[in-house]
Amino acid sequence: HTMSRHDIDFETIGKRGEVLYRNEARAIPEVKIREMLGQDHANSVEWHTATNHFRSMLLDGEQFDVIVSVSTGHHEEFLDSFGKRLLGVLSLIFLITWGLSWFAVRKGLAPLKMIKDRAASVTLSNLNKVIPVEQVPEELVPLVSELNNMMRRLEESFKRLAAFSSDLAHEMRTPVSNLLTQIQVVLAQNRDAEDYRDVLASSSEECERLSRMISETSMNPNRRKR
């Protein structure tokens, strides 16, 4: 009795090797039958037709042997299709992962870009322009706070420097003006030696005053006009 399925074929072989029954549409080649008869019956062989692949096994019986042939073509097609689908899914996962990673990195670096842009826009006229702490992640708050404190210290230092320069210019203006006035007066007309000595003595006093002022300033840069 012969059973049949769309993916399994049975062939009956006599003990002398003659074929008692076979499906001519998918008959196992004679060379494969001889190969199986000469081997351990538990072993299988593979063979193919123009359109399909098969695997056959010889089952030993008392009066005849049975060759069971199983079509493996649809399994190979399934594996090939599965491999292509798996590759497609992995490619899609890679693209999604890459896109999310790019978005996350860009979003994560956005506060640093904002800090860089703010730092690049700092000038002497806008040292009071602080970086908003509420716009940065919690991890960057200490850094932003220190940068803001640094900006405040710089602003205070520049204010002190500007005030110091103004005070110094004011204090030096008087002796320089006195020197210039005295020199212009004495050069306006001919003078005797005594007048020149008086002007030079007065100019010397003004120069000494300037010298003391410069010395005090170099020793105490925070000096203010009294």
Side-chain angles (χ1 to χ4, degrees):
H1 179 65
T2 303
M3 300 177 58
S4 179
R5 279 181 47 180
H6 72 284
D7 59 345
I8 300 178
D9 285 340
F10 296 90
E11 299 187 18
T12 305
I13 307 297
K15 287 301 182 178
R16 293 191 300 271
E18 71 278 13
V19 178
L20 302 178
Y21 169 83
R22 73 164 26 150
N23 185 334
E24 294 295 338
R26 295 187 297 189
I28 182 171
E30 296 291 341
V31 63
K32 293 298 181 180
I33 295 177
R34 291 194 298 270
E35 181 179 342
M36 295 182 69
L37 291 175
Q39 294 182 353
D40 184 359
H41 295 172
N43 291 339
S44 62
V45 296
E46 295 184 0
W47 54 281
H48 61 84
T49 64
T51 58
N52 206 344
H53 288 76
F54 298 89
R55 176 173 296 173
S56 298
M57 178 179 293
L58 183 66
L59 302 179
D60 189 16
E62 293 182 0
Q63 298 180 359
F64 54 84
D65 298 329
V66 177
I67 295 178
V68 180
S69 299
V70 180
S71 172
T72 59
H74 65 283
H75 298 292
E76 295 175 356
E77 291 177 1
F78 170 78
L79 291 176
D80 183 63
S81 176
F82 177 78
K84 291 179 179 178
R85 291 183 181 181
L86 181 61
L87 180 61
V89 170
L90 291 177
S91 300
L92 181 60
I93 293 175
F94 171 78
L95 291 176
I96 294 175
T97 304
W98 180 85
L100 292 176
S101 300
W102 178 84
F103 176 78
V105 170
R106 185 176 180 85
K107 186 175 180 63
L109 293 179
L112 293 178
K113 184 177 184 302
M114 184 267 291
I115 294 174
K116 179 186 75 68
D117 293 340
R118 289 293 183 93
S121 64
V122 171
T123 61
L124 290 178
S125 60
N126 64 353
L127 286 173
N128 59 348
K129 187 178 181 180
V130 298
I131 301 172
V133 178
E134 62 276 3
Q135 295 184 11
V136 299
E138 183 179 355
E139 296 79 4
L140 295 179
V141 169
L143 172 62
V144 172
S145 298
E146 287 301 322
L147 288 175
N148 288 336
N149 291 336
M150 181 189 70
M151 299 292 290
R152 294 188 185 98
R153 291 195 297 270
L154 286 175
E155 183 182 17
E156 293 174 0
S157 298
F158 278 112
K159 285 181 178 179
R160 288 197 298 268
L161 180 60
F164 169 75
S165 299
S166 178
D167 291 349
L168 183 61
H170 179 78
E171 293 189 14
M172 294 183 67
R173 187 178 297 114
T174 299
V176 171
S177 178
N178 292 340
L179 279 173
L180 182 61
T181 300
Q182 291 173 1
I183 292 173
Q184 289 175 341
V185 169
V186 78
L187 293 177
Q189 55 185 356
N190 293 329
R191 305 284 182 177
D192 55 25
E194 187 65 25
D195 291 335
Y196 285 121
R197 281 195 295 270
D198 291 341
V199 171
L200 289 174
S202 178
S203 297
S204 177
E205 292 177 357
E206 294 296 338
C207 288
E208 289 178 356
R209 181 181 174 186
L210 285 173
S211 179
R212 287 195 302 271
M213 189 181 304
I214 293 172
S215 298
E216 291 174 359
T217 300
S218 62
M219 290 185 295
N220 184 14
N222 294 322
R223 178 174 176 267
R224 292 286 189 271
K225 183 182 76 171
R226 294 186 296 272

